[in-house]
Amino acid sequence: GGGDDHPYGSRAEGGEGLALQMWDAYRRLGDESAFAREWLPANTEGGGLEQIAMEAIGPDGLAPGEAFHRAFSELLSLGCISPSLILQDSQSDQGFWPFSAQARAARHAEEAVEGREWHMLLGDLDVESDGEREDRDAFAYKYFKWQGHMVRYAEGGNEQGPAVLFVHGFGASADQWHKCIKELGSTHKVYAIDLLGFGHSAKPIVTYSQYLWEDVVRDFALEVVSRPLYLSGNSIGGYTAMSAASQLKGFCRGLILCNSAGRIVDAETFAAEERERGGTVKATLRREGAPAKESPPQWALNWAGRAIIAGLRPNVESFCKKVYPNSPEQVTPRLVDSIVRDSKDPGGFSILAAGFKLPPQATKNELLREFGGKLLVTQGVNDPLGGGVSKKRFALYNQVHPEEDVKLVSIEAGHCPQCEAYEEVSNAIRTFTAEVEGMVPA
């Protein structure tokens, strides 16, 4: 996967000769920033926002190990360079001066290759054990490669029905949608994706951003689903779905939001902000680039990421029950165990560190206007997150999107209505897609 707009640092041309040349340079320079300056220029000419965001971060702002992941993941995936060669050379380069920059770069290369092998084994295990799930008849877990990284997804349902792609929230996975997949399977072709860095997908040490996840979802829709579809997301997955829909335009038949993350403002505030900025957030990024952003040292970010995850693991169940206020019994061992397991994968901590370097975020107003299609909002109105303004945000959708294109469904649930009230959410999706497809009168 990957489309034409490759993220910062990927090498679309590939080839064994290039791979070995790059690996020699990585070892010779012995400094990841120096290697990134020489070999990983940001390609901003195509207007890709991931490229622009990474240009602002620059070679010196990359996470330890990120230069290797961005340079070699696709080449390793294509077989252009041997992981055994990298491991052998990396172990040799750590021998004499273990605290040197060269040794650190070699150690990061070794950890990256081992992390890739871990996720490949995890993928094999998933495929082998998939028949043991209680809901195995409803869907199967599969993998596709995006920029050389393993990305897991669920696929099931009726081949003749409308296609729906579900995108999970922060810390969750495709499995969070398993009840909706089962509910809709008789009438819809259903997919759910593990975003890069979450679930059973690979967790490379890279600077994660909304634009990276947007590209993953866009490419999955075009390459795997490969037909017009409906995008649905919860929390950060809702914002990601909205962002991808703004790129896909008419290929996205409709957008379904379940307590989406992201900022939404009234029409007057949005217009005033655009005037002051001189255009949209995306247009400003393309025109002026992303602003420089001060962030703590990377070692501190990595330490904080590991500490936060370690602190959260014992409290996953209690936290989930707080955000599932109406039906805490839906916080099942399956949900808790999957969140805890996924957090232990190699690289799992890096996603928290990346949060300090996020580029400017477009409002929902901007993304919905760019999308311009049909919208269903299934909102858990008792959401305790976001300062308790869930009901106020819910009411704004009618104001910021053409009223004839919006359908609002209020649900007595918290932050994840697709889990607490999956039957209501599924029924709303079924009705919405039928109306858009012209099967029933609106």
Side-chain angles (χ1 to χ4, degrees), residues 76-152:
L76 282 162
S77 177
L78 293 169
C80 296
I81 189 167
S82 164
S84 298
L85 172 67
I86 290 175
L87 288 175
Q88 180 181 330
D89 288 347
S90 296
Q91 288 161 5
S92 173
D93 290 346
Q94 293 176 61
F96 297 105
W97 302 101
F99 301 108
S100 66
Q102 184 182 29
R104 284 195 301 272
R107 190 159 54 248
H108 294 150
E110 181 181 21
E111 291 170 352
V113 170
E114 290 175 346
R116 285 179 53 81
E117 295 297 314
W118 167 275
H119 280 97
M120 289 175 68
L121 291 171
L122 179 62
D124 289 341
L125 180 62
D126 276 347
V127 172
E128 291 174 8
S129 63
D130 202 37
E132 300 172 10
R133 278 187 298 106
E134 60 184 1
D135 49 7
R136 58 188 176 275
D137 293 335
F139 63 92
Y141 276 119
K142 302 179 180 181
Y143 282 82
F144 94 114
K145 285 188 178 179
W146 185 84
Q147 302 292 350
H149 303 296
M150 301 278 286
V151 173
R152 186 181 74 156

Side-chain angles (χ1 to χ4, degrees), residues 129-287:
S129 63
D130 202 37
E132 300 172 10
R133 278 187 298 106
E134 60 184 1
D135 49 7
R136 58 188 176 275
D137 293 335
F139 63 92
Y141 276 119
K142 302 179 180 181
Y143 282 82
F144 94 114
K145 285 188 178 179
W146 185 84
Q147 302 292 350
H149 303 296
M150 301 278 286
V151 173
R152 186 181 74 156
Y153 66 97
E155 178 182 353
N158 185 343
E159 294 285 349
Q160 305 306 314
V164 181
L165 170 58
F166 292 121
V167 187
H168 62 81
F170 197 89
S173 69
D175 206 60
Q176 194 184 37
W177 292 95
H178 71 95
K179 292 180 179 178
C180 285
I181 295 173
K182 190 173 182 179
E183 283 287 317
L184 288 167
S186 63
T187 54
H188 291 69
K189 179 65 177 177
V190 190
Y191 300 84
I193 190 172
D194 284 353
L195 292 173
L196 197 70
F198 292 109
H200 287 210
S201 288
K203 299 169 181 65
I205 309 294
V206 297
T207 301
Y208 292 92
S209 72
Q210 63 268 40
Y211 301 120
L212 183 146
W213 288 322
E214 170 187 327
D215 289 348
V216 173
V217 172
R218 175 203 63 196
D219 292 342
F220 182 87
L222 294 172
E223 297 176 21
V224 179
V225 181
S226 68
R227 64 177 171 114
L229 79 167
Y230 294 83
L231 282 174
S232 176
N234 168 241
S235 192
I236 189 68
Y239 187 85
T240 301
M242 206 177 340
S243 298
S246 72
Q247 284 199 54
L248 291 167
K249 307 286 189 179
F251 196 81
C252 178
R253 299 278 293 154
L255 181 61
I256 302 155
L257 303 179
C258 300
N259 292 63
S260 171
R263 180 168 170 260
I264 187 170
V265 297
D266 60 70
E268 293 76 15
T269 301
F270 177 59
E273 289 179 355
E274 276 205 320
R275 285 194 301 272
E276 183 178 351
R277 194 187 303 111
T280 65
V281 169
K282 288 187 177 184
T284 303
L285 284 173
R286 290 190 175 104
R287 184 178 66 245

